[in-house]
Amino acid sequence: MMTETEKKAIQNDFKEQMDYDELLNCMRCGFCLPSCPTYIETDQQELYSPRGRIALMKGITDGVIEPDEEVTHSLDLCLGCRACETVCPSGVKYGHLLEDARSIIQSHKKQSVPVKMLRRGIFDELFPNQNRLEHVTSLLGFYQRSGLSKVVRKVGFMNLFPESMATMERVLPEVPKRKEIRERPRYFEHEGERQATCAMFTGCLMDTVFFTTNNATIRLLQKAGCDVLVPENQLCCGALHGHNGELERAKQMAKQNIAAFEHSGADYIVTNAGGCGAFLIEYDHLLADDPEWADRAKNFVSKLKDISAVLVTLEFHKTHRLKLPQQTVTYQDSCHLRNVMHTYEEPRLLLQSIEGIHFEEMEGANTCCGSAGDYNIVEPEMAMQILDHKMEQVVKTDAKTIVTANPGCLLEMKVGIERKHRTGSMRAVHIVDLLLEALDG
């Protein structure tokens, strides 16, 4: 429970730090309501809508609403999918407001020693240090290769965890050995006629747990005629921090990433993870008030593109034959790739160019699957509720392959396949891996 002094301190910080003009920008028209997953899943409770949350933020800023547990829960339950922004006639930057509000509340939150240690371990020690992350994930790889995972499942140890986490453990891809990650070159030469130079943003989990997808991305860029650079000293994009109230740490990470890329001379900075891309492309907003970094951030953002956008720009799908065995394929949008990076036509163009594929558009493909970064871990009940409704739409397409463009979405759809007991008849795959499969096919 918060004391009156703590509540007053939060109200003062809201007044000083929140963008009041942006709060007033919300006209309360309600256009956002049908696009909000938590509003729908809570039987249309206004408290869990974008409009309702903005009203709460404004109320705290005005000093007429106390920042109690109900307010905190409302903000925490938001997926941050930002679908509301795409339908807002006023162009309210809801995502920015949400991150600022969470950051203020987090800075005043009293936490137990175990929680403090866990947050410090994750946000300060693990994700900002790629070497450490490689070491931790290499232990996961050993766990998988040694057969220990089979023993753990057989004795029922995973039953001690929520069902969603137990399922997630089963669907994780095989993690490569640390030596394989360390020995990957930093430069890859183009094939065919040279088209561009690309600097690859490798990410944190993408370059460990999803290492093969990163390699497939590099391979596709080479085939598209690109020289590919993998800059040193880059690290996690900071999205996990930004979404969990750790904005200052996110700013430090943004600066390191910008510095790692700004002398690459690349035409494009390429990402293959919608969640990372959405945070990277707003580095200019994150550092807008920093005179030393504002322009450097803008230059970084100006070159950033998702892999699908780069391939379409270079007409990869027109100059290369892509072929797969006959199958029905559907596509699940990454919320952040669609709503923040505004990339949604390009993945579909690439998929529709593959011979042998019948592309079936899913109803509600643009709505969140329930992954949302670490949301499916911290809010498993709501995440699974959203996922189950998503899988109902997947089944209607009769697709055998679900394609997405973000690691979290990919794992979530794999969990959905498990929950629907369709492991033998349906698969989920990152678009990059499918394109390489089609190119080699």
Side-chain angles (χ1 to χ4, degrees):
M1 294 290 291
M2 292 184 189
T3 65
E4 291 303 315
T5 302
E6 290 168 339
K7 290 177 182 178
K8 181 61 71 175
I10 291 175
Q11 288 174 330
N12 287 338
D13 281 356
F14 263 70
K15 189 172 183 178
E16 293 177 5
Q17 299 177 34
M18 293 297 292
D19 188 336
Y20 199 71
D21 288 339
E22 198 64 49
L23 290 171
L24 290 176
N25 202 16
C26 176
M27 301 186 300
R28 304 185 185 181
C29 64
F31 278 28
C32 60
L33 302 182
S35 68
C36 178
T38 54
Y39 175 74
I40 295 169
E41 297 293 343
T42 57
D43 297 324
Q44 301 183 351
Q45 290 188 50
E46 188 74 25
L47 180 65
Y48 302 113
S49 73
R51 180 175 69 178
R53 292 181 176 111
I54 289 174
L56 292 176
M57 295 178 206
K58 184 176 180 298
I60 296 173
T61 306
D62 291 338
V64 296
I65 291 180
E66 290 189 346
D68 56 20
E69 293 301 319
E70 188 175 38
V71 171
T72 301
H73 181 251
S74 172
L75 298 179
D76 287 345
L77 199 65
C78 179
L79 292 139
C81 69
R82 297 174 70 168
C84 53
E85 293 185 14
T86 65
V87 296
C88 178
S90 298
V92 176
K93 300 296 183 183
Y94 172 80
H96 298 168
L97 293 173
L98 179 66
E99 287 182 355
D100 289 343
R102 283 176 169 173
S103 180
I104 293 169
I105 291 175
Q106 175 60 36
S107 67
H108 290 276
K109 187 177 288 187
K110 283 187 174 181
Q111 296 166 329
S112 63
V113 173
V115 170
K116 284 182 179 179
M117 291 178 66
L118 179 62
R119 287 184 68 91
R120 181 179 177 182
I122 293 173
F123 296 121
D124 295 344
E125 304 297 335
L126 182 58
F127 281 91
N129 189 317
Q130 191 65 18
N131 289 334
R132 198 167 290 153
L133 190 63
E134 287 176 8
H135 181 70
V136 171
T137 52
S138 69
L139 296 177
L140 173 60
F142 173 79
Y143 165 79
Q144 294 172 328
R145 291 188 298 272
S146 66
L148 185 59
S149 59
K150 294 179 182 179
V151 175
V152 166
R153 294 169 199 164
K154 189 173 182 179
V155 300
F157 179 74
M158 293 308 298
N159 295 333
L160 300 174
F161 297 89
E163 180 189 352
S164 58
M165 288 187 66
T167 307
M168 190 75 72
E169 183 268 343
R170 291 198 301 271
V171 303
L172 282 171
E174 291 186 13
V175 179
K177 294 180 179 179
R178 193 179 188 190
K179 181 181 178 182
E180 184 180 348
I181 297 174
R182 287 293 182 89
E183 290 182 349
R184 184 186 57 204
R186 292 282 174 182
Y187 173 75
F188 299 83
E189 191 172 355
H190 67 279
E191 295 184 13
E193 184 179 349
R194 187 183 179 281
Q195 300 290 333
T197 298
C198 294
M200 176 77 179
F201 180 81
T202 51
C204 50
L205 292 178
M206 284 304 301
D207 214 36
T208 48
V209 178
F210 296 92
F211 184 72
T212 56
T213 301
N214 268 2
N215 286 347
T217 302
I218 293 170
R219 185 77 177 131
L220 287 177
L221 290 171
Q222 286 181 281
K223 289 287 187 180
C226 298
D227 292 327
V228 184
L229 312 173
V230 183
E232 294 186 70
N233 300 320
Q234 57 175 302
L235 69 165
C236 170
C237 66
L240 183 67
H241 299 73
H243 301 330
N244 284 277
E246 301 284 345
L247 279 179
E248 289 308 312
R249 170 61 80 173
K251 290 178 181 179
Q252 295 172 20
M253 296 165 74
K255 292 174 182 178
Q256 182 168 332
N257 281 326
I258 292 169
F261 280 84
E262 61 186 349
H263 299 301
S264 67
D267 301 295
Y268 304 111
I269 297 172
V270 182
T271 177
N272 58 10
C276 297
F279 201 74
L280 292 167
I281 209 165
E282 293 196 329
Y283 273 3
D284 55 346
H285 167 75
L286 188 67
L287 300 173
D289 297 329
D290 191 318
E292 181 184 350
W293 289 90
D295 287 340
R296 297 166 74 177
K298 287 179 182 178
N299 186 55
F300 177 92
V301 167
S302 70
K303 294 184 177 183
L304 188 74
K305 276 184 179 289
D306 181 72
I307 175 64
S308 61
V310 173
L311 292 177
V312 169
T313 298
L314 300 178
E315 299 191 328
F316 172 82
H317 57 306
K318 295 180 180 179
T319 57
H320 292 75
R321 188 185 182 196
L322 303 170
K323 186 175 181 179
L324 285 172
Q326 293 287 331
Q327 59 188 289
T328 298
V329 170
T330 194
Y331 179 71
Q332 166 60 27
D333 283 288
S334 157
C335 293
H336 289 119
L337 183 60
R338 183 183 182 108
N339 300 331
V340 185
M341 294 192 77
H342 308 298
T343 302
Y344 46 89
E345 292 180 352
E346 294 90 339
R348 289 169 169 83
L349 283 173
L350 292 169
L351 292 174
Q352 290 167 356
S353 72
I354 302 175
E355 295 178 33
I357 274 184
H358 168 66
F359 179 76
E360 187 70 28
E361 186 71 41
M362 183 201 320
E363 183 179 346
N366 61 332
T367 61
C368 189
C369 64
S371 173
D374 62 349
Y375 188 91
N376 52 9
I377 297 175
V378 297
E379 298 287 350
E381 185 176 346
M382 178 59 73
M384 291 303 103
Q385 190 174 322
I386 292 170
L387 175 61
D388 288 343
H389 288 161
K390 172 65 66 175
M391 290 305 299
E392 291 173 7
Q393 301 304 324
V394 171
V395 170
K396 288 179 183 178
T397 68
D398 199 32
K400 302 305 179 186
T401 302
I402 311 169
V403 181
T404 188
N406 185 60
C409 303
L410 177 60
L411 290 180
E412 191 77 347
M413 300 314 295
K414 287 186 175 185
V415 170
I417 290 171
E418 287 264 337
R419 289 172 68 85
K420 278 289 184 181
H421 307 291
R422 291 182 176 245
T423 306
S425 60
M426 186 182 288
R427 65 170 179 162
V429 61
H430 193 289
I431 188 170
V432 163
D433 295 311
L434 189 73
L435 287 171
L436 188 58
E437 182 183 331
L439 186 65
D440 293 340

